[in-house]
Amino acid sequence: MSHPRHRLMGYVREEIMPHRFCVGCGCGTVLNAFVNAVEGIGLDPTKMVCVSGIGCSAWIPSPYFKADTLHTTHGRPIAFASGVKVMRPDLKVVVIAGDGDIAGIGGNHLIHAARRNIDLSVFMVNNMIYGMTGGQAAPTTPVGVKTTTTPHRNVEPPFRVADLVAAAGASYVARWTTYHVFPLMESMQNAMLKRGFSFIEIVSQCPENYGRRIGLRTGTDFLHRFKEQAIRIDKTRGMSEEELENRIIIGKLCDRDRPEYVTELHKITQEQTDIIEKETAG
Ligand SMILES: Cc1ncc(C[n+]2csc(CCOP(=O)(O)OP(=O)(O)O)c2C)c(N)n1
Ligand SMILES: [Mg+2]
């Protein structure tokens, strides 16, 4: 008896499946949610460009998602994606990369893309560490954690990246974890349908290079932790900083309409073209 082909198989590079993510890694969950979201809103992958940087999470779109992809340099996926969007505003441009990529080395590109409100969707996989390179501290690593670059303990407070992006001016910002698969899928759909800069922080697990330093050995250990730590944003009103210290605030942080960067740029191009045409006609 022949087996029916899975309905989502056409969205991934079947020839290189199964993927190479470590056992228990959250990247497979994010890939699954992303592919479901793309199919769910009927996006045509031939009209998409996915951009990634360097890191484990960067492998989610490239090579696994079957669309045109740019696997760029570490820290620069938003810069490359902005270039694509300016030249080809007709394409859906999505960045998927790690916390190191997006909020560490690429942090400046992140806040300025949010400020400009350029029409990109950025899905940042926050595993709280530089996973691919063996476990260096990221700007998302919690205080107190021992990493290869903080062998005694990390003393740097982490960024709350989603809050930072919302404050910088993005149109849509949300935070979920790999435990919250269905809300994550739905949020990815909303992000990709939103005009302007959309951003989802996906708190994810790295049992290999982060978990083993904090006593969480398996992916399941992390999912239990995320379930316990998560608190819906609407339940946080009136709670103090101390009460929220070890919590992961999940849900939508903002959803608003602001002028979009490429549209505004193209208006200028049109205005200038009109002026030149008028002058040459006269
Ligand atoms: C300019 C530059 N600096 C540093 C590196 C080394 N490097 C490669 S991946 C990486 C960190 C990856 O961490 P993250 O972006 O969080 O992705 P993860 O592997 O955790 O998914 C670093 C520091 C590099 N490739 N290029
Ligand atoms: Mg990381």
Side-chain angles (χ1 to χ4, degrees):
M1 202 178 102
S2 70
H3 296 284
R5 208 157 167 274
H6 192 277
R7 72 177 210 289
L8 298 175
M9 205 44 109
Y11 291 86
V12 295
R13 292 193 196 280
E14 198 174 350
E15 63 279 14
I16 49 167
M17 286 291 161
H19 58 63
R20 300 276 181 93
F21 298 125
C22 300
V23 172
C25 173
C27 287
T29 305
V30 177
L31 173 64
N32 191 350
F34 177 59
V35 166
N36 266 285
V38 168
E39 190 235 27
I41 53 172
L43 281 179
D44 176 357
T46 66
K47 302 210 166 53
M48 293 175 76
V49 175
C50 289
V51 188
S52 71
I54 302 294
C56 301
S57 322
W59 279 58
I60 296 168
S62 169
Y64 295 122
F65 185 62
K66 199 169 178 175
D68 283 341
T69 49
L70 281 171
H71 206 134
T72 73
T73 46
H74 189 51
R76 301 292 177 266
I78 292 176
F80 279 86
S82 300
V84 173
K85 191 70 201 183
V86 169
M87 291 314 292
R88 292 293 306 270
D90 54 313
L91 299 175
K92 174 65 56 189
V93 185
V94 180
V95 173
I96 307 180
D99 47 332
D101 235 321
I102 300 283
I105 186 171
N108 235 20
H109 296 293
L110 174 67
I111 54 173
H112 292 287
R115 175 176 68 89
R116 292 176 187 127
N117 199 33
I118 183 165
D119 187 30
L120 304 175
S121 293
V122 177
F123 301 145
M124 186 193 82
V125 180
N126 179 8
N127 57 10
M128 295 160 271
I129 201 84
Y130 290 179
M132 178 170 267
T133 40
Q136 295 81 11
T140 45
T141 305
V143 168
V145 173
K146 291 181 183 172
T147 72
T148 59
T149 48
T150 57
H152 301 292
R153 68 175 184 280
N154 180 32
V155 295
E156 298 182 15
F159 269 140
R160 292 179 189 154
V161 186
D163 302 56
L164 182 70
V165 176
S171 271
Y172 177 94
V173 180
R175 186 189 290 109
W176 297 103
T177 83
T178 46
Y179 174 75
H180 303 88
V181 179
F182 285 96
L184 171 61
M185 270 181 218
E186 204 175 274
S187 186
M188 283 178 160
Q189 297 187 160
N190 291 331
M192 290 189 287
L193 288 171
K194 186 79 194 177
R195 185 139 183 81
F197 193 78
S198 58
F199 180 84
I200 305 178
E201 176 178 351
I202 308 160
V203 178
S204 183
Q205 69 271 28
C206 172
E208 280 299 319
N209 282 324
Y210 180 59
R212 68 187 157 101
R213 298 171 202 283
I214 58 162
L216 297 178
R217 306 295 308 189
T218 67
T220 320
D221 290 344
F222 272 96
L223 297 181
H224 282 296
R225 177 71 65 90
F226 293 162
K227 185 183 172 188
E228 283 158 20
Q229 283 183 306
I231 179 164
R232 294 247 171 197
I233 189 159
D234 43 301
K235 299 239 169 75
T236 61
R237 275 188 207 103
M239 287 177 75
S240 66
E241 281 282 319
E242 293 73 49
E243 285 172 303
L244 289 170
E245 198 172 303
N246 287 315
R247 308 303 297 266
I248 301 169
I249 300 170
I250 55 165
K252 195 165 71 178
L253 278 73
C254 72
D255 190 348
R256 59 195 166 199
D257 295 312
R258 291 182 55 228
E260 191 275 327
Y261 179 69
V262 180
T263 315
E264 297 306 306
L265 271 189
H266 283 246
K267 276 187 201 163
I268 295 178
T269 311
Q270 194 55 53
E271 284 162 19
Q272 294 303 310
T273 311
D274 291 348
I275 291 169
I276 292 164
E277 271 173 11
K278 222 165 149 189
E279 278 174 2
T280 42

